[in-house]
Amino acid sequence: MKEMKENIILVDCDGVLCDWEYAFHQWCKHSKGLIPQNSEYNIAKQFDLERSEGKKLVTEFNDSAAIAFLPPLRDAVYYMKRLNMLNGYKFHCITSLSTNSYAQKLRIQNLELLFGKELFDKYIILGCGDDKDEALEPYRDSECWWIEDKPKNAELGASLGLNSIIVAHEHNAYYKGDIPRYWKWKEIYKHITGEL
């Protein structure tokens, strides 16, 4: 897979391309009357719920029509389009969302409306909370860029020979490892293109 290095960027979706957390909080507030108590990554802890209730809430949201209306994360649209148009990159989206085929179609529709159809060559949509080991395995030793917001998944990518980058959030502020962590896509763009 060495040939992939030059033109493929692997991207997670939620917290990388789209602002899932903002949309989820709005949905929780308006449809459930729930307001987050802290900025924990774990939704059950964030809303002071039982673990099973937190997972149920996320699953319900991911399977709802709301998943088609996630806003883009920060400056992702502008810099992904630059990576595509000026540098020839195509994107493979690897996202843990839902096994529901309608939810999967809504995810793709949302991404194509925000970023354009021409940016994405492939969508790998896993079940809610699923690990990404198997999805990343075909890219082993390809040295593709792998952009994630969950340090565990970024570390997994690095262990498979990918060039991982972490999108910074409060929930991953604890990360002190070797993988670069950037708040803005502008910084990710500069890192990938060698401008940093």
Side-chain angles (χ1 to χ4, degrees), residues 134-152:
E134 286 183 29
L136 289 174
E137 184 59 41
Y139 301 95
R140 180 187 284 272
D141 296 326
S142 66
E143 298 180 11
C144 285
W145 294 103
W146 167 226
I147 305 172
E148 248 287 357
D149 67 316
K150 191 173 178 182
K152 177 185 164 193

Side-chain angles (χ1 to χ4, degrees), residues 6-7 9 77-91 118-119 189-190 192-193 195:
E6 297 306 317
N7 64 350
I9 297 176
V77 173
Y78 180 79
Y79 284 99
M80 280 182 62
K81 286 188 174 187
R82 286 181 72 86
L83 283 164
N84 173 252
M85 292 187 285
L86 301 181
N87 301 277
Y89 282 105
K90 290 285 197 165
F91 297 86
E118 65 281 354
L119 265 67
Y189 176 86
K190 287 183 173 181
I192 289 172
T193 59
E195 293 177 27

Side-chain angles (χ1 to χ4, degrees), residues 81-143:
K81 286 188 174 187
R82 286 181 72 86
L83 283 164
N84 173 252
M85 292 187 285
L86 301 181
N87 301 277
Y89 282 105
K90 290 285 197 165
F91 297 86
H92 290 189
C93 181
I94 302 173
T95 175
S96 298
L97 174 76
S98 174
T99 54
N100 180 303
S101 62
Y102 294 107
Q104 293 177 356
K105 285 181 173 73
L106 292 176
R107 157 103 336 146
I108 293 168
Q109 177 185 303
N110 185 210
L111 289 174
E112 290 183 348
L113 281 170
L114 292 175
F115 296 93
K117 290 182 180 181
E118 65 281 354
L119 265 67
F120 298 97
D121 268 355
K122 191 175 201 178
Y123 297 96
I124 301 167
I125 304 177
L126 310 170
C128 183
D130 283 359
D131 290 333
K132 296 183 176 172
D133 306 60
E134 286 183 29
L136 289 174
E137 184 59 41
Y139 301 95
R140 180 187 284 272
D141 296 326
S142 66
E143 298 180 11

Side-chain angles (χ1 to χ4, degrees), residues 17-90:
L17 307 181
C18 295
D19 196 340
W20 182 92
E21 189 174 48
Y22 170 80
F24 178 68
H25 286 169
Q26 292 302 307
W27 178 82
C28 284
K29 180 180 173 184
H30 296 295
S31 70
K32 303 289 181 185
L34 294 171
I35 296 183
Q37 305 303 305
N38 54 59
S39 61
E40 286 268 353
Y41 182 74
N42 182 301
I43 294 301
K45 289 180 181 174
Q46 199 178 106
F47 287 89
D48 197 21
L49 299 168
E50 293 295 321
R51 184 187 167 121
S52 62
E53 286 300 306
K55 184 160 176 54
K56 190 173 153 190
L57 201 61
V58 170
T59 301
E60 186 181 343
F61 174 73
N62 283 357
D63 285 344
S64 77
I67 211 69
F69 301 97
L70 271 56
L73 184 77
R74 304 172 192 148
D75 55 348
V77 173
Y78 180 79
Y79 284 99
M80 280 182 62
K81 286 188 174 187
R82 286 181 72 86
L83 283 164
N84 173 252
M85 292 187 285
L86 301 181
N87 301 277
Y89 282 105
K90 290 285 197 165

